[in-house]
Amino acid sequence: MIVFLHDPLFGLTLTVGAYAIARGIHSRIRWLHPILSSSAIILIVLALLRFPIAEFQGEVGLLTTLLGPATVALGVPIYKHRRLIRERVASVLISVLAGSVTGICSAGALVLLTRGSHEVLLSILPKSVSSPIGIEISRSLGGTPELSVMFSVVTGVLGGVLGPAFLYRSGLRDPVSFGLAMGSAAHGFGTARSLQESETAGSFSALAMGLSGITTSLLFIPLYFWLG
């Protein structure tokens, strides 16, 4: 058992196994996102075994590396729906801009209401974009990249879990609008959830996620001088 724990396959086995269990739980409890439950399973196992987080991260490096090709692969459904995207280009641009502005303003309002520190403010502002982009924005502003990753993941998980129910109750059924909302607010997690909804929703969510990263980065140019 001790030998297996220090084998590089331990981290991969735990991650894949936890996700498989989480998918089974999700089939019975639909509101519980697999990412949320699988993360909880992994953390509980690591805590019980007193396994170092740093060592675990090294063992799952292969999965982290595969995130790049997986993200690029999102371009396939975008290309398949290029005609519909051209027809709805105005809606896409307006939605992404509105989502990016709302994401920044809501983060700032949350910190002000809770009387958070200036460091927390700089770290949480890019919460609605994917972690790699959020890290660079946070670092440029003088925030803490580690906090930015946490805020980005929490935002994505909450958006993936609560977003669909909120959109359904709001009467939104259009897959294009669904995808744009999820991709703009919950980046990768929202896109994964949108792909479960339909390929059209997933395509527009992936497009919104990419455009939101660009738009948010541009919006932070004047904020950099104001907050710096």
Side-chain angles (χ1 to χ4, degrees), residues 93-117:
L93 295 177
I94 293 173
S95 299
V96 169
L97 179 60
S100 299
V101 172
T102 301
I104 296 172
C105 292
S106 62
L110 179 62
V111 174
L112 291 176
L113 288 174
T114 56
R115 298 181 180 180
S117 66

Side-chain angles (χ1 to χ4, degrees), residues 30-200:
R30 299 301 300 175
W31 61 265
L32 187 58
H33 199 286
I35 297 297
L36 185 62
S37 51
S38 61
S39 298
I41 293 172
I42 292 172
L43 289 174
I44 292 172
V45 172
L46 293 179
L48 291 175
L49 296 175
R50 296 182 179 179
F51 196 84
I53 295 293
E55 188 173 338
F56 173 76
Q57 289 175 330
E59 292 183 359
V60 296
L62 175 62
L63 296 178
T64 304
T65 302
L66 292 175
L67 284 176
T71 302
V72 174
L74 292 174
V76 176
I78 293 177
Y79 179 77
K80 290 176 63 176
H81 293 84
R82 61 191 183 280
R83 292 184 179 178
L84 181 58
I85 291 173
R86 283 198 295 265
E87 293 174 1
R88 305 287 291 270
V89 65
S91 300
V92 170
L93 295 177
I94 293 173
S95 299
V96 169
L97 179 60
S100 299
V101 172
T102 301
I104 296 172
C105 292
S106 62
L110 179 62
V111 174
L112 291 176
L113 288 174
T114 56
R115 298 181 180 180
S117 66
H118 186 66
E119 180 184 5
V120 172
L121 173 64
L122 298 180
S123 302
I124 198 176
L125 285 177
K127 67 176 178 59
S128 296
V129 296
S130 57
S131 296
I133 298 176
I135 287 173
E136 295 304 320
I137 293 176
S138 175
R139 184 177 288 117
S140 298
L141 292 174
T144 304
E146 292 79 8
L147 280 177
S148 298
V149 171
M150 182 192 71
F151 289 131
S152 179
V153 171
V154 170
T155 300
V157 170
L158 290 178
V161 173
L162 303 177
F166 174 79
L167 294 175
Y168 292 150
R169 293 194 176 187
S170 299
L172 193 149
R173 294 290 184 271
D174 176 34
V176 173
S177 302
F178 183 96
L180 290 174
M182 293 294 287
S184 298
H187 45 84
F189 292 92
T191 299
R193 178 61 181 83
S194 297
L195 285 169
Q196 294 178 355
E197 193 73 15
S198 69
E199 188 178 67
T200 301

